[in-house]
Amino acid sequence: MTHALFDPITVRDLTVRNRIWVSPMCQYSAERQDGVPTPWHLVHLGGFAKGGAGAVVVEATGVVPEGRISPQDLGLWNDEQRDAFRPIVDFIHSQGAAAGVQLAHAGRKASTYRPWSSTQGSVPVEDGGWTTVAPSAVAFDGYAEPRELTTEDIRLVALGFAAAARRAIEAGFDLVEIHAAHGYLLHQFLSPLSNHRTDDFGGSLEHRAQALLDVVDAVRAEVGEGFPVVVRFSATDWTEGGLTLDEVVQVARWAGEHGADLADVSTGGNVASAPIPVGPGYQVPFAAAVKREAGIGTIAVGMISEAFQAEQIVATGQADVVMVGREFLRDPGFPLRAARELNVAIDYEPQQYHRASVTKQG
């Protein structure tokens, strides 16, 4: 028996073995605070590939030092980082999965303590933090006030994304995702709550989208025609006066016209106190709306944790792919379990683990 969830998907020159992909999940574990991945990242990410994921997408990875969410975030702005990613990518490939990396700039939400720190908020410069930047000098609730970017700064941001995309290819990655969600820099440009500019990067939706489209253009020009580019959006700010689904549908349409292949549709993150009605699959309708109305393939995310739930999302055309986060942390072999539950025959369960297969005896 075949199921849509286990059908391969081809995006430009890349074919991925199934539609269950690992969502980018920050580990805050670059312990030297230099953005270089460590053995933790190899084991963490490699386990998902071994567990049958179609694609494993690395966490939000700073395109410039000041773009990191925390001092312990990964980066891809220099060759040392690129070279340290190569063995991780090689192992992911050895297990039959595709490797992706989410390229990010946190903007006003950068330079923060990692979640399990006893201190929260912005890390002071004297403690290893830095002055953050944003479309406007408007602080995120509880964080330090950022510096407003100049037009030249915005141009350099796009160049930073492009340079990181080039290093991603050199490291062997198969796709990149541009992070324009969760209240980070490109989302900050899109939302009128955080973008108060009056120049070509503020005001109308077309102007608020310009920074993102410049990034998409720069990345597409750098990676060429055959390499997949994904954009992650927050489809709503969940707050009156904020970014809306209708606006994101339009921006996703523009992003597709500029060379993006898939819209990874999440929500929220730009307003600390936004009332978000969280529940299983609560963000899937947003992915379905973008797919239906923007004419671009979509990825659904958000509390997708059951095989039949994931199958239903893909089989009914609400999204082309599901990205799973927390369930992979609970069970790195989630795709192997999903295949058994859906009665799908796959040929990539690790031979070393066959003695534990439910089809084996003894």
Side-chain angles (χ1 to χ4, degrees):
M1 183 181 297
T2 60
H3 284 272
L5 192 62
F6 285 89
D7 285 343
I9 182 171
T10 298
V11 185
R12 296 199 183 238
D13 290 349
L14 175 67
T15 297
V16 183
R17 64 186 174 186
N18 64 46
R19 312 297 181 100
I20 310 174
W21 296 8
V22 178
S23 192
M25 293 178 283
C26 289
Q27 298 296 289
Y28 309 102
S29 296
E31 294 299 341
R32 293 189 311 183
Q33 301 188 19
D34 56 3
V36 175
T38 70
W40 173 269
H41 298 96
L42 171 61
V43 174
H44 166 70
L45 297 164
F48 302 141
K50 175 177 63 65
V56 179
V57 183
V58 177
E59 66 195 75
T61 298
V63 300
V64 290
E66 64 272 20
R68 292 170 294 166
I69 301 167
S70 80
Q72 293 81 24
D73 277 20
L74 296 179
L76 200 45
W77 66 80
N78 65 41
D79 292 350
E80 181 186 5
Q81 296 156 349
R82 176 202 64 194
D83 294 346
F85 271 118
R86 282 179 174 148
I88 298 173
V89 173
D90 287 346
F91 184 81
I92 291 171
H93 286 159
S94 77
Q95 302 305 301
V101 59
Q102 185 183 68
L103 304 180
H105 191 307
R108 66 179 186 169
K109 291 179 74 175
S111 188
T112 62
Y113 291 96
R114 53 187 175 183
W116 57 85
S117 173
S118 60
T119 306
Q120 292 298 297
S122 298
V123 180
V125 172
E126 59 269 24
D127 292 336
W130 54 89
T131 300
T132 59
V133 296
S136 303
V138 179
F140 186 75
D141 189 26
Y143 291 6
E145 182 177 299
R147 176 181 66 81
E148 182 174 304
L149 291 162
T150 67
T151 54
E152 175 63 12
D153 292 332
I154 298 169
R155 185 185 73 85
L156 293 176
V157 165
L159 294 177
F161 273 90
R166 183 186 68 250
R167 288 192 175 92
I169 291 177
E170 293 168 353
F173 284 104
D174 304 294
L175 65 92
V176 295
E177 177 173 271
I178 296 167
H179 202 349
H182 299 167
Y184 299 124
L185 182 64
L186 297 177
H187 182 182
Q188 292 162 28
F189 272 100
L190 291 173
S191 174
L193 297 176
S194 46
N195 185 348
H196 299 174
R197 302 177 73 97
T198 58
D199 62 4
D200 290 344
F201 295 95
S204 68
L205 178 63
E206 184 176 10
H207 286 174
R208 284 184 278 125
Q210 191 60 56
L212 169 60
L213 297 180
D214 286 351
V215 168
V216 175
D217 285 342
V219 169
R220 174 53 67 200
E222 190 66 46
V223 302
E225 288 301 312
F227 193 82
V229 174
V230 181
V231 179
R232 173 165 275 193
F233 292 99
S234 279
T236 175
D237 282 333
W238 295 108
T239 301
E240 185 176 355
L243 189 64
T244 68
L245 174 59
D246 287 344
E247 290 179 318
V248 171
V249 165
Q250 179 59 67
V251 177
R253 184 181 298 118
W254 288 334
E257 293 168 355
H258 283 250
D261 300 298
L262 293 168
D264 176 5
V265 184
S266 187
T267 64
N270 202 36
V271 179
S273 58
I276 303 176
V278 175
Y282 72 104
Q283 296 178 138
V284 174
F286 296 96
V290 172
K291 179 176 172 65
R292 181 177 62 250
E293 299 173 26
I296 188 172
T298 61
I299 300 171
V301 301
M303 297 187 73
I304 299 169
S305 59
E306 300 292 339
F308 286 94
Q309 176 197 23
E311 167 67 19
Q312 189 264 348
I313 292 166
V314 177
T316 57
Q318 296 178 82
D320 300 276
V321 170
V322 294
M323 270 189 177
V324 175
R326 289 176 176 85
E327 190 60 25
F328 266 112
L329 297 181
R330 289 185 284 264
D331 178 8
F334 171 63
L336 303 180
R337 172 164 59 91
R340 292 193 294 268
E341 292 177 1
L342 295 170
N343 195 28
V344 177
I346 58 173
D347 61 2
Y348 43 83
E349 184 172 5
Q351 295 286 341
Q352 298 93 327
Y353 284 16
H354 272 197
R355 71 186 66 186
S357 173
V358 295
T359 63
K360 301 291 183 181
Q361 301 297 319

